[in-house]
Amino acid sequence: MASPPYIVGIGGTTRPGSSGERLVRCVLLEAELLGAQSRLFDGKELSALPHYAPESPSRSPEQLDLIEALRRADGVVIGTPAYHGGVSGLVKNALDLVEDMREDNYSYFSGRAVGTVVTAAGWQACGVTLQALRGIVHALRGWPTPIGISVNTVAQKLFDEQGKLIEAAVQTACKSQAEQILSMARGRQ
């Protein structure tokens, strides 16, 4: 019997419990409900990563932990806020570490479905950042899921006072993205 698919989430900001971090958690929870195991590298963990230095082969324990989790991953979820129409520095720094996987049998994100999640304070930023993130996933040889989640945090009330996701369409998108990731992950095993 194959082991449960292992899905790694990357996302968040320096603000604990950011909208993007919560949405990545939502996709991971939906994946778990479908039988996956998951691990989230949230904003706090991303903030602890040293700046990626391609000229130096040495890696911190935090960097090694992220890379080893990604090497094991059958699928990935990446969430980022849109900062001036682009991916946040925290998330980009984590993704730059994937370069350490270039010599692996499954180099970079080869053979993995990658869910993309973008939060922004406007629809224009949502669109351009989602496109940029999907471009990064392609450059890393990953397969972006057909469903990319983008949420305008100004136009949509996502969470109640207890932090529960209350926007039904976003919940449905999280579930659909998890299903797409697991469909490909199970085919990869």
Side-chain angles (χ1 to χ4, degrees):
M1 180 173 184
S3 60
Y6 180 60
I7 312 301
V8 173
I10 298 170
T13 69
T14 56
R15 185 174 40 88
S18 68
S19 296
E21 181 179 309
R22 289 182 194 181
L23 292 174
V24 171
R25 282 185 197 278
C26 179
V27 175
L28 294 177
L29 177 60
E30 291 292 342
E32 289 173 6
L33 292 172
L34 295 167
Q37 294 179 342
S38 72
R39 166 92 190 268
L40 173 64
F41 289 86
D42 62 15
K44 182 178 180 181
E45 290 177 280
L46 298 178
S47 296
L49 295 174
H51 289 287
Y52 172 68
E55 71 282 358
S56 174
S58 65
R59 299 288 179 250
S60 72
E62 295 84 4
Q63 290 172 313
L64 292 172
D65 187 30
L66 173 62
I67 291 301
E68 288 310 310
L70 289 170
R71 281 188 168 122
R72 288 186 42 224
D74 298 301
V76 180
V77 181
I78 304 168
T80 185
Y83 288 163
H84 305 108
V87 174
S88 78
L90 284 180
V91 172
K92 183 64 168 74
N93 185 54
L95 293 174
D96 287 343
L97 283 166
V98 177
E99 182 62 23
D100 287 3
M101 297 166 61
R102 73 184 166 279
E103 300 294 328
D104 292 4
N105 285 336
Y106 290 100
S107 61
Y108 306 113
F109 289 156
S110 291
R112 295 172 182 94
V114 181
T116 53
V117 178
V118 172
T119 56
W123 288 118
Q124 180 178 0
C126 283
V128 297
T129 304
L130 184 62
Q131 185 62 33
L133 185 55
R134 290 173 68 83
I136 292 168
V137 170
H138 279 291
L140 291 172
R141 301 180 189 160
W143 295 87
T145 58
I147 290 182
I149 300 169
S150 62
V151 176
N152 180 339
T153 57
V154 174
Q156 297 170 274
K157 180 173 168 80
L158 297 175
F159 304 99
D160 65 15
E161 292 74 30
Q162 290 76 40
K164 182 177 185 243
L165 182 61
I166 58 173
E167 175 61 52
V170 176
Q171 180 68 45
T172 299
C174 290
K175 181 178 181 185
S176 296
Q177 189 174 89
E179 290 170 347
Q180 290 174 358
I181 292 167
L182 287 181
S183 176
M184 186 166 183
R186 287 191 170 110
R188 180 178 187 264
Q189 291 185 318

